[in-house]
Amino acid sequence: MVTKLCLMRHGATTLNGCYVGATDIALSDSGVRQVQRTAALLRDENFTKIFCSPMLRCRQTVKLLELGGVVEYNTLLKEVDFGSWEKKSFNEIVATDKALVDAWAADSDDFSFPQGESLAGFRSRVQLFKEKLYECDEQSILVVTHGGIIRHLICELLCLVSEKYLVFQVLPGTFTSLQLHSEGGILTGFNISG
């Protein structure tokens, strides 16, 4: 059986340009408009299963989509916890923690965000959710989540090494579509928006 999968990133927040993982922040006005424009494209899909991150920005996104049906909130879909880097821009982080940024760029599973989550822990969560997707006996699944989760899920589903996650720039308020086969996924659309 082939499953259609749509991975939607929540709309923009008031902290765009900053690292926001564990910080529970609402959508901005522009984020609300992004989601409303994209919603029309998803309403005809007849999703048989909807998963959503429990973070406020994702809960608001799924509500704005107005798709009906039961939404399953899953903590595996939370964004990575950036720890003390939360709410900071890349330039701010480099100015104070350049050695740690270099360690992050080395992409080692040994790396942990200062006072935050390890890359190994984050990737393990993504892997567990991928397994959950394959255990679903559904024809059409929507996942409302975060950019980091989507990037890593794409790599997992397309059988790419996890280090390739940065080649995907996942825009707020857009969705990516894939077909899931037992052997892996096929990318059918990327950064789709209304």
Side-chain angles (χ1 to χ4, degrees):
M1 181 181 79
V2 177
T3 300
K4 179 168 184 178
L5 173 66
C6 290
L7 305 173
M8 178 157 185
R9 185 179 177 190
H10 60 79
T13 69
T14 55
L15 287 175
N16 276 355
C18 295
Y19 287 92
V20 179
T23 303
D24 210 11
I25 186 170
L27 297 177
S28 65
D29 290 342
S30 66
V32 168
R33 288 190 297 275
Q34 288 168 340
V35 173
Q36 289 171 331
R37 285 192 301 269
T38 301
L41 300 175
L42 294 171
R43 289 195 184 118
D44 294 331
E45 292 296 329
N46 298 317
F47 294 106
T48 55
K49 185 73 175 176
I50 301 172
F51 292 103
C52 185
S53 163
M55 303 302 284
L56 176 61
R57 54 200 181 268
C58 293
R59 294 194 326 265
Q60 288 176 318
T61 296
V62 81
K63 184 176 180 183
L64 287 166
L65 293 175
E66 298 177 351
L67 299 175
V70 176
V71 177
E72 182 179 321
Y73 296 95
N74 192 308
T75 58
L76 295 174
L77 292 171
K78 286 184 172 185
E79 183 63 282
V80 68
D81 182 349
F82 292 105
S84 62
W85 290 358
E86 291 274 333
K87 301 186 203 177
K88 293 182 180 177
S89 71
F90 182 75
N91 290 339
E92 289 174 310
I93 294 166
V94 169
T96 58
D97 285 331
K98 180 156 182 0
L100 277 177
V101 171
D102 291 342
W104 180 24
D107 205 39
S108 166
D109 277 343
D110 294 338
F111 178 80
S112 291
F113 293 96
Q115 300 169 24
E117 191 171 9
S118 70
L119 284 183
F122 176 71
R123 289 176 176 154
S124 175
R125 286 197 289 116
V126 172
Q127 177 66 35
L128 287 171
F129 188 76
K130 173 194 167 186
E131 292 168 12
K132 185 172 184 64
L133 286 174
Y134 275 104
E135 290 167 3
C136 279
D137 187 23
E138 304 289 344
Q139 292 181 335
S140 187
I141 301 172
L142 173 67
V143 178
V144 179
T145 188
H146 310 271
I149 292 282
I150 293 171
R151 287 173 164 177
H152 281 82
L153 264 177
I154 291 171
C155 288
E156 285 284 337
L157 295 169
L158 298 181
C159 302
L160 302 173
V161 293
S162 62
E163 293 82 9
K164 296 290 184 190
Y165 78 99
L166 284 175
V167 303
F168 300 103
Q169 183 181 6
V170 180
L171 300 176
T174 68
F175 67 93
T176 294
S177 61
L178 301 101
Q179 289 179 348
L180 295 188
H181 301 264
S182 57
E183 305 83 20
I186 297 172
L187 186 68
T188 57
F190 187 71
N191 278 339
I192 304 166
S193 65

